[in-house]
Amino acid sequence: EAGVTQFPSHSVIEKGQTVTLRCDPISGHDNLYWYRRVMGKEIKFLLHFVKESKQDESGMPNNRFLAERTGGTYSTLKVQPAELEDSGVYFCASSQEPWTSGKRNYEQYFGPGTRLTVT
Amino acid sequence: LAKTTQPISMDSYEGQEVNITCSHNNIATNDYITWYQQFPSQGPRFIIQGYKTKVTNEVASLFIPADRKSSTLSLPRVSLSDTAVYYCLVGDDDYKLSFGAGTTVTVRA
């Protein structure tokens, strides 16, 4: 079974440009998440999709970030315009339903991340 | 969310058992304890989760005392490939993981 994949693995752009990150979750996983780690900081939650619907976008830093998940399959995260402080590693994760056979399930499957460098 | 405290780093040697203790004094009744592992240039990977007592899987064991104010992740007979950052997460929100600084475990030959 293929894991979570992210593209590109690394992106270098100039301040003010636009970048779009893509995430392909594990097939059949309705839940998709975006996280990021900016330089020297901890991994922080950005948002959560259930199928194509945004369930929680409380972690999105500002309106320069736009996440979509059309059709409930892959997701994109667009940064427009990019700023220097957006540099970091962006992780995507997916998961099954939180309740499996009557038991809570906290397992999320993470992709390798996209390293974004804004110069 | 309950705040967690874990050591910044730990060193070990191949074949030894590594025990990482995480403090979570403000854990709530509905909170679960989850551990993730992260290798360089990779995303975090789920290791184990538990609510109370002891949980064991093929990778690790998780010990949780009765008061649940701490937990210990035990890695048996570590190898060089177990060198990674280990995160202790506490919460009841399975949709929004909250990562701290983690514990960097270095295994030496």
Side-chain angles (χ1 to χ4, degrees):
Chain A
E1 179 183 274
V4 176
T5 57
Q6 295 186 244
F7 182 83
S9 58
H10 194 178
S11 179
V12 181
I13 61 173
E14 293 183 353
K15 176 183 174 180
Q17 289 186 324
T18 298
V19 63
T20 300
L21 313 180
R22 172 170 171 145
C23 168
D24 286 80
I26 292 173
S27 177
H29 283 190
D30 289 339
N31 295 279
L32 186 148
Y33 319 81
W34 285 96
Y35 295 83
R36 77 170 181 176
R37 168 187 275 143
V38 294
M39 184 68 72
K41 299 291 183 63
E42 298 162 359
I43 298 173
K44 295 293 186 184
F45 166 85
L46 295 179
L47 88 159
H48 168 220
F49 282 101
V50 176
K51 297 184 179 180
E52 65 275 11
S53 300
K54 292 178 187 175
Q55 289 293 110
D56 182 349
E57 50 183 332
S58 61
M60 294 288 264
N62 51 61
N63 59 11
R64 294 186 294 103
F65 289 76
L66 175 64
E68 295 180 325
R69 193 183 182 195
T70 305
T73 54
Y74 70 91
S75 174
T76 58
L77 180 64
K78 179 188 290 187
V79 185
Q80 178 183 29
E83 298 289 345
L84 298 178
E85 64 265 25
D86 299 332
S87 295
V89 181
Y90 290 76
F91 294 103
C92 174
S94 71
S95 73
Q96 298 172 324
E97 289 304 313
W99 288 91
T100 305
S101 301
K103 179 182 175 183
R104 294 292 291 274
N105 181 7
Y106 287 81
E107 183 169 9
Q108 295 182 12
Y109 297 82
F110 281 75
T114 292
R115 181 172 296 278
L116 175 64
T117 303
V118 183
T119 62
Chain B
L1 291 175
K3 178 178 170 57
T4 61
T5 303
Q6 52 183 121
I8 295 175
S9 64
M10 296 181 71
D11 288 344
S12 183
Y13 290 92
E14 284 189 292
Q16 290 188 333
E17 179 182 78
V18 171
N19 296 305
I20 310 170
T21 296
C22 177
S23 297
H24 27 79
N25 293 319
N26 296 323
I27 190 168
T29 302
N30 295 329
D31 285 347
Y32 274 68
I33 300 157
T34 308
W35 285 80
Y36 275 75
Q37 172 193 56
Q38 185 178 26
F39 298 113
S41 301
Q42 294 187 24
R45 182 174 77 102
F46 173 89
I47 301 176
I48 198 167
Q49 71 177 55
Y51 184 79
K52 61 181 179 181
T53 63
K54 176 183 175 182
V55 181
T56 297
N57 62 22
E58 65 277 5
V59 176
S61 294
L62 178 59
F63 298 91
I64 306 169
D67 66 6
R68 303 200 327 121
K69 293 184 182 300
S70 68
S71 59
T72 299
L73 176 72
S74 180
L75 306 172
R77 298 181 298 281
V78 294
S79 63
L80 296 177
S81 61
D82 292 316
T83 294
V85 179
Y86 293 81
Y87 298 96
C88 168
L89 291 77
V90 173
D92 67 348
D93 186 347
D94 37 57
Y95 290 120
K96 185 188 302 182
L97 300 179
S98 180
F99 290 86
T103 298
T104 299
V105 172
T106 303
V107 180
R108 307 180 192 279

